[in-house]
Amino acid sequence: MKPLEQKLLKLLSNNDVTFFIPPYQRNYEWTEEQCNIFFEDVVKTHDKNVSGNLAEHFFGTITYFQTETVFGQPNKLILIDGQQRITTTMLFLTALRDLLPDQSLKKFINTKYLKNDNVDGDSEYKIKLKQVETDWSAYKKIILGEELSGTEKTSRVSSNYNLFKVLLTEYSNDGNQIEPLINNGIDKFSVITIELEPDRNPWENPQEIFESMNSLGKPLSLADLVRNYLLLGLNADTQEKYYRKYWLHIERILPGQVSNYIRDFMQWRTEGSFKQATETNYKELYALFKNQNYYGNNAEDILKDLYTHAELYSCIISDRSTGNTKVDNILADIRYLRVTTAYSFLLALLSEWKEGIINGSGTEEILDAFRIYCMRRRLIGLTAAENKAFPVLVKQISKLECADDKRQETFNILSKQESNLRLPNDVEIINTLNGANFLIISTVNSSWL
């Protein structure tokens, strides 16, 4: 391990290296608020130095390790920590470049910090920072000054690049020059670089170090932690292969929902209940995920299982079709009722259907009975204990597989639930309807009851 204090821009000016953000890292996620603070730090540092008060700004640690060098290409440095800060710095420098009128200064920023001009062609080494796949297209076009597509314009890298252009323009309109923000501002940002040498020192394990670090930005989600766990221990080529083959599809089909999916996947596979996936318990859920020993903790087998069932989960939480209109309609009704606590049970049921263990009509019957159960509970305002009880219903699916009348068997199972988990009877429903607002009740489909 080689710690070294140096200036941020000196680190970025090395044309013999290209920083790679590995696929197990999260996407670029710095918010507008964080970028505003970054810009204020640049301006404050500039103002102090211009006024004669020599000042620096500590910008945290940058941790990386170097992969095997290929002759004729820059050294490939794999970022373990510092991805968000370096990306933000690059976007700021690019915005500054694009607003400067002096062509020589534009060229200087391009060749010094943003690109490796000693690399021929259009390889990934041409740009000094290689993003994760979901951010790469937009980031690459911003650095190269190319037009972004509609989807790329909605990315975080695009919005923060445009934010810096606005902030720099406003700063200039106040009578300030933006060029000195480099020499007197961001050039005074210092970092501690830590180079790991895992090949020489086995105890410098990138995965363990990555997990032990406290993020300076947004906390790692359950999805981030699981992705890291599954990919980080593999060699670089295998990481990239599995990321593209499995994880990228999961992220695309479940945007913003991967952490919830992993929690519901855990509940299904263990036939138990876990806490809701939130920032306060991501690490706790992650520890439980690792302890489950799925498939002997074989990374590809776990990724393949998550990949296979992500599409079914998307049918539960969105309007993606299962291929069966009746099933789609029932799932839509359950979504409308906001019975999110049942998603692991629904995932298990749809999996049995897709594997041919339960046929289509049987799946419809089970879902229809469950919809009635949920609707009756919602009508009388009964939701207590569902977060613990509904995931455990997965254990009952084996009984449903063997039942001739699956609808009736579902009712038999649900009617045996007690107290707060009971199936409300007709008397309770009638009393509730008699005292309810007719305008609300008139929207209820009577066939649900």
Side-chain angles (χ1 to χ4, degrees), residues 6-15 17 19 86 89-90 93 111-116 128 186:
Q6 61 178 305
K7 293 294 191 294
L8 173 64
L9 291 190
K10 182 179 179 182
L11 174 68
L12 299 180
S13 66
N14 188 346
N15 283 323
V17 304
F19 289 98
I86 288 184
T89 303
M90 293 299 207
L93 290 170
T111 57
K112 191 77 171 177
Y113 306 121
L114 303 178
K115 297 194 289 186
N116 285 322
K128 198 166 288 188
I186 197 168

Side-chain angles (χ1 to χ4, degrees), residues 383-397:
T383 60
E386 290 181 350
N387 61 320
K388 292 185 177 180
F390 280 5
V392 182
L393 288 176
V394 172
K395 296 179 179 179
Q396 305 295 333
I397 291 181

